[in-house]
Amino acid sequence: MSALFSSLKIRSITLKNRIVMSPMCQYSAKDGFANDWHLVHYGTRASGGTGLIIAEATAVWPEGRISPGDLGLWSDEHIAGLRRITDFINSHGSVAGIQLAHAGRKASCAVPAEGGKQLDLKNGGWETVAPSAIPFSPGERPPVMADRICLERIITGFRDAAVRAMKAGFRVAEIHAAHGYLLHEFLSPLSNNRTDEYGGSFENRTRLLLKVTEAVRSVWPEENPLFVRISSTDWTKGGWTPEESVRLAPLLHQAGADLIDCSSGGNIHNAKIPVRPGYQVPFAEMIRNTGIMTAAVG
């Protein structure tokens, strides 16, 4: 039998197979609240036999949403709607997971159906934050450089959202540090030109992600797995590299992560990505050789 259909135990959670539904934004929430669309979307995959279903990027702060249609967990009021979904997923033998996220400079955009462009401040948009005041695309409004108070607030936001995720019935949490969103922006020298302890060296650029991971692990149940999704490379000269991903993996493991979910790209608007079947599997293999579990996406 293919290993894909074999069970997998991570901490105390056993997945009935190794098929994982990756987080995929639905842009169907209002004020961060889950609704019937999300119940049907995730519930259908659970009844179809998927081993682990990871809910879409869920913002830890309102300004961390990619769009006004993103799910959120910045308030206790968001718990009940998500609990309805996890109860259904878990009742069908699947495991419910959630991706906790902050979009950084890629926040404040229209939903894709409305063009996906950055929203004007006078048309429903909001100020974005990032490691440096470097916009994602030419012509976009530059983000505000996050100060120390903002960074502490972000760390606390991830931690508090993890507590809410636990109360909502999720048994796997994934920290989103990929695709050019906030934590990835700190990792890459192309989006982070800070000169303080959060910029410059590898140790400094990885500091925020490691602090977030430690904060989430401190409140996430010991028996439940914690994943981190990273972009294994920026696909751009001078950016984040596969070698740095390999170097980061054991640090994340020490911080409490059980699995690295390997993706790539998303931080540079014109990066040339050689998309083909299985093109991110080699990254997962490289990182797995450090001694931590991996997944490959795409």
Side-chain angles (χ1 to χ4, degrees), residues 144-194:
V144 175
M145 187 177 110
D147 60 19
R148 292 167 190 258
I149 294 174
C150 179
L151 295 181
E152 288 302 320
R153 183 171 179 261
I154 288 165
I155 295 167
T156 301
F158 273 93
R159 184 196 66 200
D160 293 350
V163 172
R164 296 185 185 105
M166 175 187 63
K167 293 178 179 178
F170 291 101
R171 295 189 287 164
V172 174
E174 177 170 278
I175 296 168
H176 198 351
H179 303 165
Y181 299 125
L182 183 70
L183 298 177
H184 180 186
E185 292 164 17
F186 271 87
L187 296 177
S188 174
L190 296 178
S191 47
N192 181 354
N193 62 11
R194 299 172 75 102

Side-chain angles (χ1 to χ4, degrees), residues 39-267:
L39 175 63
V40 173
H41 172 65
Y42 295 115
T44 300
R45 276 70 189 181
S47 61
T50 304
L52 169 62
I53 296 171
I54 305 180
E56 64 204 77
T58 302
V60 302
W61 285 111
E63 63 270 24
R65 292 174 294 167
I66 304 167
S67 81
D70 289 23
L71 284 179
L73 256 179
W74 63 81
S75 166
D76 288 349
E77 294 178 353
H78 292 124
I79 294 172
L82 292 169
R83 184 82 208 199
R84 188 167 68 118
I85 295 169
T86 61
D87 284 347
F88 188 92
I89 291 173
N90 294 327
S91 72
H92 282 73
S94 294
V95 173
I98 189 167
Q99 186 182 68
L100 303 177
H102 190 300
R105 66 179 183 175
K106 295 178 76 174
S108 186
C109 291
V111 298
E114 297 174 3
K117 300 296 184 181
Q118 188 180 59
L119 290 169
D120 186 88
L121 295 178
K122 297 179 180 179
N123 189 32
W126 57 90
E127 290 284 5
T128 61
V129 297
S132 303
I134 305 171
F136 174 65
S137 297
E140 288 189 344
R141 183 175 63 254
V144 175
M145 187 177 110
D147 60 19
R148 292 167 190 258
I149 294 174
C150 179
L151 295 181
E152 288 302 320
R153 183 171 179 261
I154 288 165
I155 295 167
T156 301
F158 273 93
R159 184 196 66 200
D160 293 350
V163 172
R164 296 185 185 105
M166 175 187 63
K167 293 178 179 178
F170 291 101
R171 295 189 287 164
V172 174
E174 177 170 278
I175 296 168
H176 198 351
H179 303 165
Y181 299 125
L182 183 70
L183 298 177
H184 180 186
E185 292 164 17
F186 271 87
L187 296 177
S188 174
L190 296 178
S191 47
N192 181 354
N193 62 11
R194 299 172 75 102
T195 56
D196 63 3
E197 68 267 36
Y198 289 96
S201 67
F202 171 86
E203 289 76 14
N204 286 354
R205 287 182 283 113
T206 59
R207 192 181 307 277
L208 181 61
L209 173 56
L210 293 174
K211 284 189 174 185
V212 166
T213 304
E214 290 169 352
V216 171
R217 184 76 267 179
S218 72
V219 296
W220 193 239
E222 181 67 24
E223 65 272 18
N224 288 357
L226 176 62
F227 296 1
V228 178
R229 174 171 281 190
I230 66 170
S231 281
S232 306
T233 177
D234 278 337
W235 295 110
T236 304
K237 185 177 180 180
W240 182 257
T241 68
E243 292 73 24
E244 287 177 307
S245 293
V246 169
R247 189 176 170 190
L248 173 64
L251 300 178
L252 286 171
H253 201 180
Q254 292 169 18
D258 300 295
L259 181 147
I260 307 297
D261 192 359
C262 301
S263 188
S264 65
N267 193 42

Side-chain angles (χ1 to χ4, degrees), residues 29-40:
K30 183 177 180 181
D31 297 325
F33 288 95
N35 53 46
D36 287 349
W37 173 274
H38 301 93
L39 175 63
V40 173

